[in-house]
């Protein structure tokens, strides 16, 4: 009977030791899995942040280029307006000067004929 009891106690002790080892191993695996998962989440967040930043920069660049194109077209339009204003003004002045010169030549021709 003592031998059976001793064997039984050894068996229970071994089973308890095995159960404790399994519990420790399970806890360790759970801890490592959580640690890997958190690292994976952090890496995912970094990738998402980078992609979002890249997309935002691309969108900003497209808007900036569009604004620059609009500004360039507006400046070109204003420059053309100024050019045509000065061109028309020059044509009016030239017409006036030619008219006055023609009048002088006519008056000189009239006075040459009368003398």
């Amino acid at each position: 009977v003592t031998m059976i009891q001793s064997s039984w106690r050894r068996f229970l002790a071994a089973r308890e030791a095995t159960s404790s080892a399994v519990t420790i191993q399970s806890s360790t695996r759970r801890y490592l899995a959580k640690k890997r998962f958190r690292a994976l989440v952090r890496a995912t967040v970094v990738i998402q942040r980078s992609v979002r930043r890249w997309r935002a920069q691309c969108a900003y660049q497209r808007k900036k280029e569009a604004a620059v194109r609009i500004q360039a077209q507006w400046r070109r339009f204003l420059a053309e307006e100024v050019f045509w204003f000065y061109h028309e003004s020059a044509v009016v002045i030239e017409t006036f000067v030619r008219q006055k010169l023609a009048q002088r030549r006519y008056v000189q021709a009239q006075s040459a004929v009368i003398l």
Side-chain angles (χ1 to χ4, degrees):
V1 172
T2 316
M3 193 164 180
I4 293 174
Q5 286 177 343
S6 174
S7 293
W8 181 251
R9 285 186 187 128
R10 272 196 312 270
F11 170 74
L12 289 177
R15 192 167 81 178
E16 187 179 320
T18 302
S19 175
S20 297
V22 168
T23 302
I24 291 171
Q25 289 172 350
S26 174
S27 296
T28 303
R29 282 195 301 272
R30 183 177 64 240
Y31 168 77
L32 292 174
K34 283 183 177 181
K35 187 176 176 181
R36 282 191 301 269
F37 179 73
R38 283 191 296 265
L40 185 61
V41 167
R42 280 193 302 272
T44 303
V45 168
V46 167
I47 290 170
Q48 288 175 342
R49 184 180 342 143
S50 297
V51 169
R52 286 186 184 122
R53 183 182 66 236
W54 175 75
R55 291 179 69 191
Q57 286 174 341
C58 288
Y60 171 76
Q61 190 64 29
R62 280 193 305 273
K63 288 178 183 178
K64 182 179 175 183
E65 289 171 0
V68 166
R69 267 186 259 127
I70 291 169
Q71 289 171 353
Q73 290 297 321
W74 179 250
R75 287 190 200 106
R76 183 189 61 79
F77 170 76
L78 291 178
E80 280 185 8
E81 288 291 313
V82 168
F83 169 78
W84 286 114
F85 173 77
Y86 285 129
H87 181 268
E88 290 171 5
S89 298
V91 168
V92 168
I93 292 170
E94 287 174 359
T95 303
F96 178 75
V97 168
R98 286 186 183 130
Q99 178 188 9
K100 289 300 176 186
L101 290 175
Q103 284 177 351
R104 280 188 193 160
R105 281 194 302 271
Y106 178 74
V107 169
Q108 286 175 353
Q110 285 290 338
S111 64
V113 169
I114 294 175
L115 289 175

